[in-house]
Amino acid sequence: MKIPSKKVVALFCLIVLVVAGAVLCHRPDPVEKSAYIMGTLVRVRAWGAGADRAVPEALERLSALEQALSANLEDSDVARVNRAGGRGVSVSSATGDLLGEALRFAGLSGGAFDPTVGALVDLWGIGTEQARVPGDEEILSALERVDWHGVRLFDGNEVRLEAGQQLDLGGIAKGYAADVLRDQLKREGIRSGLIDLGGNILVFGENPRGGKWRIGVQDPIQSRGGVLGVVELREGSVVTSGTYERFFERDGVRYHHILDPATGRPARSGLLAVTVVSPGSLEGDALTTALFVMGLDLGIALVNGLEGVEALFVTEDGRVVLSPGLEGRFTLQGEGYRLETR
Ligand code: AMP
Ligand code: MG
């Protein structure tokens, strides 16, 4: 047998190295699509075979969820329940499941999260052309129609409210939808993905770009896009609720969209924003809204009693307070803040 010359061996080795390097360093481009759904800019990014089909299907699924869950769409499950004036209405099992979860978080948060805030949401109209500061009488009369204990859920899919009550699942629907989309993408064989529903972020699978996922958290006092800091995680959800999302200003006061079911007004709990890091996005979404209303002391106590859930609170007096599990996983970038752990 002819022994290959040194040059041929060297060339062969070089080719092996180049091919191996290309395979190891190959970072396939994801498939990414954006759309405006559920009142927000949605972005779905997926890596893996089948992503070309799975990503548009995920956006279609999201539109279908919006059709069922939006209080503003006439034929939605929520709108039908709200029009029924205290009579029972049958809803899809998905809506029933979500409502069950909403009621669970209402109990867990002592009513700070309340899916029957609809009458107050309508009254204030925050984020709509009709936004205004209502009179005390109006607020009191809307408050009489807010109480999650009035919701009855039979057999998982028949819903009945007290007469006059109005459901609003806006504080939990995006988180629920993100979980549904993740499960669907995984079933379609997607290895890794990122679901961004207007800043509600859910990531799954390994980060194809290497290392952990790094998720930016919005700085509540900078205009959109300003970063407060970065959370690192292997997979899971990062959801933020804050006063910067939807609000109007009158006479120097900011009226934002997170309402306190105890007062009937935008929550004034000393916070500007709350971020929750959790395995699932439904719990993250429900909890950010609840924790914002509860404020730092009650909120951190609730979080520290929940397995696998971490939170970050931004206070009006310039502190960023982390639950212990976020220490070392959050890097502060915003200027003028003091970082604490509790
Ligand atoms: P989020 O941005 O997740 O905090 O949700 C805010 C949205 O949830 C509002 O636009 C309302 O539709 C609804 N909402 C406001 N206050 C509450 C509350 N205390 N409990 C449940 N939902 C609320
Ligand atoms: Mg929420």
Side-chain angles (χ1 to χ4, degrees):
M1 195 176 96
K2 200 178 152 201
I3 297 174
S5 75
K6 274 188 188 160
K7 269 191 190 158
V8 172
V9 172
L11 187 66
F12 177 75
C13 290
L14 188 68
I15 291 170
V16 169
L17 276 176
V18 168
V19 170
V23 169
L24 285 174
C25 300
H26 183 58
R27 293 182 181 154
D29 286 334
V31 174
E32 177 170 320
K33 286 209 179 307
S34 305
Y36 197 79
I37 308 175
M38 287 193 168
T40 197
L41 182 64
V42 171
R43 187 165 56 110
V44 177
R45 190 189 285 175
W47 287 260
D52 278 328
R53 212 187 55 214
V55 171
E57 279 177 8
L59 292 177
E60 278 166 32
R61 180 68 175 275
L62 192 60
S63 296
L65 288 172
E66 180 183 27
Q67 291 296 322
L69 301 174
S70 168
N72 304 320
L73 296 175
E74 231 179 271
D75 292 328
S76 74
D77 283 350
V78 170
R80 287 189 303 111
V81 170
N82 287 347
R83 272 199 306 270
R87 280 175 290 109
V89 170
S90 75
V91 296
S92 70
S93 59
T95 304
D97 289 349
L98 176 56
L99 184 57
E101 285 295 304
L103 295 172
R104 185 165 78 80
F105 283 100
L108 201 65
S109 66
F113 181 89
D114 190 323
T116 65
V117 286
L120 285 169
V121 172
D122 290 346
L123 180 65
W124 285 87
I126 292 164
T128 72
E129 306 258 296
Q130 286 77 42
R132 68 185 178 97
V133 182
D136 292 349
E137 293 287 311
E138 291 176 288
I139 292 177
L140 283 178
S141 108
L143 262 179
E144 281 172 15
R145 301 191 280 138
V146 176
D147 181 3
W148 62 277
H149 295 93
V151 182
R152 295 277 176 273
L153 185 58
F154 304 100
D155 303 326
N157 70 349
E158 191 184 328
V159 182
R160 200 174 72 207
L161 305 178
E162 298 277 332
Q165 286 196 320
Q166 301 283 295
L167 276 186
D168 182 314
L169 298 176
I172 194 172
K174 281 191 276 176
Y176 167 74
D179 289 348
V180 170
L181 262 50
R182 174 203 54 202
D183 294 346
Q184 175 169 318
L185 289 167
K186 278 183 159 183
R187 271 200 309 277
E188 307 248 325
I190 299 304
R191 278 186 290 114
S192 302
L194 181 148
I195 299 159
D196 176 356
L197 306 185
N200 271 42
I201 311 272
L202 182 62
V203 288
F204 64 90
E206 267 181 29
N207 181 0
R209 295 185 171 145
K212 292 184 182 166
W213 298 90
R214 293 167 52 79
I215 308 296
V217 175
Q218 163 77 36
D219 184 337
I221 55 174
Q222 285 188 54
S223 56
R224 263 189 192 276
V227 175
L228 176 75
V230 174
V231 177
E232 289 200 343
L233 72 168
R234 291 221 171 278
E235 46 182 357
S237 156
V238 181
V239 177
T240 301
S241 279
T243 58
Y244 61 88
E245 283 175 86
R246 234 176 308 143
F247 62 88
F248 69 97
E249 274 166 354
R250 201 64 28 97
D251 301 326
V253 180
R254 175 175 292 198
Y255 296 93
H256 60 79
H257 72 313
I258 307 166
L259 302 170
D260 184 343
T263 64
R265 298 165 185 277
R268 300 191 63 177
S269 54
L271 298 176
L272 294 176
V274 181
T275 298
V276 169
V277 181
S278 53
S281 210
L282 182 149
E283 59 190 337
D285 197 0
L287 284 171
T288 51
T289 309
L291 297 176
F292 190 97
V293 172
M294 294 170 84
L296 178 60
D297 292 338
L298 289 174
I300 199 111
L302 175 61
V303 165
N304 287 339
L306 294 173
E307 189 75 33
V309 177
E310 304 295 340
L312 176 165
F313 299 78
V314 186
T315 67
E316 283 175 347
D317 61 4
R319 288 176 293 151
V320 173
V321 183
L322 307 179
S323 63
L326 279 186
E327 229 180 342
R329 291 171 58 197
F330 175 75
T331 315
L332 182 65
Q333 295 179 350
E335 280 174 20
Y337 290 103
R338 279 165 293 137
L339 195 59
E340 287 174 27
T341 304
R342 273 226 228 160

